């Protein structure tokens, strides 16, 4: 698969994109901030946290830029850095089922805490699963 799976299918206009439904730029930023705060704080995400640098500032900025476009908003990541090549960029990190599931649980918790509606959360959960599973580079 050469393209990152994304959740924008079925969004017939800009008002229906997950980006708009979430609440736009500020909401995406807040979601990403909460995601990395939780990764830093919660013992349940320790193995996921251990794969990241001590300073999460770089990861926070890149995920925010990426998610804006992935959710159907402005293509901020591509404008700055070109094609994300997300799977290749994750190859240096051993990602198995445990790491995938910690990433997904951390994002789910962040979405719940940010008050993302049940409908939107369900839609995004599926798209995040496809993307995170596609990033897996270990069988276990
Ligand atoms: C499946 C489990 C995942 C693990 C273990 C993981 C881990 C990581 C790590 C360690 C980094 C490097 C951070 C840094 O440079 O400090 C990174 C970068 C990144 N991750 Fe993930 N990630 C996962 C899933 C995802 C998913 C599902 C997405 C998108 C929906 C994503 C988007 C990104 C982006 C955009 C970057 C920045 C890439 C760049 O350097 O330009 N990751 N990830």
């Amino acid at each position: 698969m050469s393209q990152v799976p994304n959740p924008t299918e079925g969004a017939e206009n800009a008002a229906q994109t997950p980006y708009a439904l979430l609440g736009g730029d500020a909401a995406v930023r807040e979601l990403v901030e909460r995601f990395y705060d939780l990764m830093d704080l919660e013992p349940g995400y320790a193995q996921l946290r251990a794969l990241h640098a001590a300073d999460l500032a770089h990861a926070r900025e890149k995920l925010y830029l990426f998610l804006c476009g992935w959710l159907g908003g402005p293509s901020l990541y591509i404008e700055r850095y070109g094609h994300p090549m997300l799977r290749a960029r994750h190859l240096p990190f051993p990602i198995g089922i445990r790491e995938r599931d910690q990433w997904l649980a951390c994002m789910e918790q962040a979405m719940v805490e940010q008050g993302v509606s049940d409908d939107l959360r369900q839609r995004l959960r599926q798209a995040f699963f496809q993307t995170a599973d596609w990033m897996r580079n270990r069988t276990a």
Side-chain angles (χ1 to χ4, degrees):
M1 195 188 296
S2 61
Q3 288 288 318
V4 184
N6 74 63
T8 56
E9 206 169 306
E12 278 140 36
N13 60 53
Q16 292 175 332
T17 61
Y19 176 82
L21 295 171
L22 265 177
D25 183 86
V28 177
R29 174 72 84 178
E30 282 168 24
L31 179 66
V32 169
E33 292 299 325
R34 192 63 195 143
F35 172 77
Y36 282 111
D37 287 350
L38 288 167
M39 195 193 289
D40 220 12
L41 287 167
E42 294 280 346
Y45 311 136
Q47 286 87 5
L48 174 63
R49 177 65 184 90
L51 295 178
H52 290 74
D55 183 353
L56 290 170
H58 172 87
R60 286 177 194 269
E61 184 64 14
K62 291 280 188 78
L63 186 61
Y64 154 72
L65 294 171
F66 174 80
L67 285 185
C68 282
W70 186 79
L71 292 163
S75 304
L76 303 179
Y77 185 101
I78 291 173
E79 281 164 17
R80 286 171 178 70
Y81 303 111
H83 191 289
M85 301 186 295
L86 220 50
R87 194 167 192 286
R89 282 192 209 273
H90 284 77
L91 284 177
F93 313 111
I95 303 180
I97 288 171
R98 182 181 65 180
E99 291 73 22
R100 176 198 71 186
D101 288 350
Q102 287 188 8
W103 197 102
L104 292 169
C106 188
M107 183 53 79
E108 178 73 16
Q109 189 176 346
M111 289 197 290
V112 169
E113 292 189 12
Q114 290 305 119
V116 178
S117 72
D118 288 352
D119 276 4
L120 183 55
R121 213 153 21 87
Q122 189 175 331
R123 180 168 159 194
L124 293 180
R125 192 185 299 135
Q126 285 172 6
F128 277 131
F129 177 85
Q130 286 177 340
T131 304
D133 194 54
W134 179 65
M135 230 79 89
R136 214 149 44 82
N137 50 39
R138 297 286 186 281
T139 47

